[in-house]
Amino acid sequence: MANTKKINSATIKWLILIAIVVILALLPTNESFTGTIKAFICITIGGIGMIALGLFDSPLIPSLLMMFGYLTFMDLSVIMRGWAKDAPWIILSIFIIIAVVNKTPLLRRIAFHIMVLTGGSYVGVCVGFYIAGFLLSFLGDSPCSALIAISFGVVVSLNLKNKKAAAGIMLCAFHGIMEAGLFIFSPSVGSFLYGTAASASELVTPGGYGEWFVGGLIFVPYYIIILIVTILMFKPKEGFGENPKEYFKGELQKLGKMSRDEIKLSIILVGMFVYLLTNTLHHQKMIFGFVFAACLLFFPGIKLGDKNDIKNVNFSFPIFIVACLAIGEVATELGVGELLADALVPMLNGGNPFIYLFLIALVCFLLNFVMTPMAVFSTLLVPLTMVTMAMPSFTNIFPLFAAILTGVGNLLLPHETTNSLVLFGFDAMSMKDFVKGFGVKAILGFAWLFIAVLYWQAIGYIV
């Protein structure tokens, strides 16, 4: 019966997607909306739809279908330009690094040290996981599942499962790493955003830590407010276990001294971060730091990684990134940006930045119910970049990134992202607490976007 339902569900999804593509294919063409542009839209909607609806187990197949579908009217050198950009190689390097890191107890050791330093109380544990998430956010959201798993271990060890405190602790672990991206430049995300946007508009220039932090500085108070609100919402009345600080000390003792592999790994990671954070001094490409760190893990004499780690790397995702970049490259070649700008700019209330960015965030928030965040980015980032940079109000692309991130970063239900599904999947909190925690954060996020617009006007990103 379960298999029948699954088959029926997949069939319905296929029929809906095919119907949408057929309707688009039947649209009449004219001098502006040419047959080639119509083919581009059909192939793009079809490819993104396959990914968003989960019609394949991997995004690799839709990515290949989309890229080689473009080959029917576009040169392969244009379609594959994404391989010449930093994003897929940075992401691939990070995947390799994470695969090696996960073999060691280094992440748990860092988290337990923070717990001891913050006192081991409910507030201390929440703050500790938040700080751990902040530190790990420099690597993107890849370590999020690992941090959630560690927080679950703490919840179980302190007999807090299905209590209010469990929701507070695990939500702090989640928000600490996921929300930091609004002001911490994660190369895996930032390079993808800038790379895709640059392929859509020549007015977009690649940004680094400095530019990202200046644009996102307004989200630092918001980041702290989320921590405070989450702690207060789920603060337990019944106490918080016995001697939690001693528990964390005990867990640290069980791990023993740092192994030689952990020491070598720590040195390499610290070196990588120093290279990235001093980018404004040495002016070398950030990609060098990631690629060299990933390769160094396999060097003779270090040998932290092996062939099994390479096997565990998700190679389909960099290909998916290139497919997403291909959307922008092909759209630019076809002049889709000018077409969209001419159609959408008059509809944006005179270009009022408050309304424009709020509507973008709202649309992304709603799409998140039925699409993955990456699918939302892939679908909207290219056309919205074209429209945004065509508006005289915007001198920098960062407000658009922040609006999209605000939309896709605010959830209500567990299925909306992989990490939120992992969070709820541990069965340590009720659906009521999940919706309550994320619902309040969503209200704060949309309200804070208006404050952010005032800040961007003050620093000249919006005029």
Side-chain angles (χ1 to χ4, degrees):
M1 182 65 71
N3 289 333
T4 302
K5 289 182 179 179
K6 186 175 181 180
I7 293 172
N8 290 339
S9 175
T11 302
I12 292 171
K13 290 178 181 179
W14 271 111
L15 291 174
I16 292 173
L17 181 59
I18 291 171
I20 292 172
V21 173
V22 169
I23 291 171
L24 291 172
L26 294 175
L27 292 175
T29 59
N30 53 42
E31 291 184 2
S32 299
F33 186 65
T34 64
T36 303
I37 290 178
K38 182 168 72 172
F40 165 75
I41 292 174
C42 289
I43 292 171
T44 303
I45 295 298
I48 295 300
M50 292 176 197
I51 296 168
L53 295 174
L55 297 178
F56 293 92
D57 294 332
S58 166
L60 175 63
I61 303 304
S63 298
L64 293 175
L65 289 172
M66 187 164 61
M67 287 191 292
F68 286 93
Y70 292 152
L71 191 59
T72 58
F73 56 81
M74 185 60 60
D75 190 79
L76 188 63
S77 62
V78 175
I79 300 168
M80 297 298 173
R81 280 177 188 166
W83 287 115
K85 299 183 183 297
D86 290 355
W89 303 108
I90 288 177
I91 291 170
L92 181 60
S93 299
I94 287 177
F95 282 179
I96 294 172
I97 293 170
I98 292 297
V100 177
V101 169
N102 283 341
K103 293 196 306 182
T104 74
L106 185 60
L107 290 182
R108 283 181 292 152
R109 190 182 298 278
I110 292 171
F112 292 148
H113 269 296
I114 291 172
M115 301 312 158
V116 172
L117 291 173
T118 52
S121 64
Y122 165 72
V123 173
V125 171
C126 287
V127 172
F129 273 113
Y130 215 70
I131 293 172
F134 167 76
L135 295 175
L136 292 172
S137 67
F138 286 91
L139 287 173
D141 64 0
S142 297
C144 186
S145 295
L147 193 63
I148 292 171
I150 295 171
S151 70
F152 175 72
V154 171
V155 166
V156 172
S157 299
L158 297 177
N159 297 314
L160 298 172
K161 192 175 178 182
N162 293 319
K163 295 181 181 179
K164 287 180 64 177
I169 293 169
M170 297 188 72
L171 284 170
C172 282
F174 183 93
H175 295 328
I177 190 169
M178 299 300 290
E179 295 304 309
L182 286 168
F183 58 93
I184 294 298
F185 183 88
S186 165
S188 62
V189 176
S191 60
F192 166 71
L193 294 178
Y194 277 113
T196 304
S199 71
S201 173
E202 61 183 14
L203 298 176
V204 177
T205 55
Y209 278 99
E211 181 181 334
W212 191 276
F213 184 73
V214 169
L217 187 62
I218 186 63
F219 290 104
V220 174
Y222 165 71
Y223 185 71
I224 297 171
I225 289 171
I226 291 175
L227 170 63
I228 296 171
V229 170
T230 303
I231 288 174
L232 293 178
M233 270 197 298
F234 299 103
K235 187 175 182 180
K237 296 179 181 179
E238 63 276 9
F240 187 64
E242 296 181 5
N243 298 319
K245 186 173 182 177
E246 294 304 315
Y247 162 74
F248 293 121
K249 285 183 178 179
E251 290 299 304
L252 270 175
Q253 288 177 353
K254 290 179 185 178
L255 292 178
K257 294 182 178 180
M258 286 185 69
S259 65
R260 289 184 63 187
D261 284 352
E262 286 182 273
I263 293 172
K264 289 188 287 187
L265 185 58
S266 299
I267 292 172
I268 291 173
L269 292 179
V270 169
M272 183 185 75
F273 284 129
V274 170
Y275 176 88
L276 296 174
L277 293 173
T278 56
N279 177 257
T280 55
L281 298 176
H282 55 69
H283 303 294
Q284 298 299 311
K285 289 181 175 291
M286 287 195 302
I287 190 173
F288 293 151
F290 289 97
V291 171
F292 185 68
C295 292
L296 197 60
L297 297 173
F298 296 82
F299 272 32
I302 298 176
K303 204 61 180 172
L304 293 169
D306 55 39
K307 62 181 180 181
N308 291 322
D309 299 316
I310 301 297
K311 291 178 181 178
N312 291 330
V313 172
N314 181 7
F315 287 97
S316 66
F317 195 75
I319 296 174
F320 170 62
I321 296 298
V322 173
C324 294
L325 293 172
I327 297 174
E329 297 292 347
V330 176
T332 301
E333 289 288 325
L334 296 178
V336 175
E338 291 80 359
L339 181 65
L340 285 169
D342 292 341
L344 293 178
V345 170
M347 301 167 58
L348 294 172
N349 195 38
N352 184 300
F354 285 93
I355 296 176
Y356 175 70
L357 294 174
F358 182 83
L359 288 176
I360 288 173
L362 182 61
V363 168
C364 293
F365 175 76
L366 295 175
L367 287 176
N368 225 29
F369 282 96
V370 293
M371 298 172 68
T372 64
M374 186 56 72
V376 174
F377 281 123
S378 304
T379 305
L380 298 182
L381 186 55
V382 168
L384 287 177
T385 296
M386 295 173 177
V387 172
T388 302
M389 299 314 291
M391 296 170 66
S393 301
F394 291 88
T395 63
N396 192 289
I397 196 64
F398 182 84
L400 173 63
F401 293 162
I404 297 176
L405 286 169
T406 296
V408 300
N410 283 300
L411 321 167
L412 280 181
L413 297 174
H415 77 279
E416 296 184 45
T417 71
T418 301
N419 286 327
S420 59
L421 194 58
V422 170
L423 175 68
F424 190 71
F426 279 105
D427 195 29
M429 70 179 79
S430 66
M431 177 65 78
K432 178 182 177 182
D433 284 342
F434 185 97
V435 173
K436 177 183 175 182
F438 279 95
V440 171
K441 189 183 82 68
I443 294 171
L444 288 172
F446 279 92
W448 202 265
L449 189 59
F450 282 97
I451 299 174
V453 173
L454 294 175
Y455 169 73
W456 293 325
Q457 288 177 329
I459 64 174
Y461 280 13
I462 299 175
V463 295

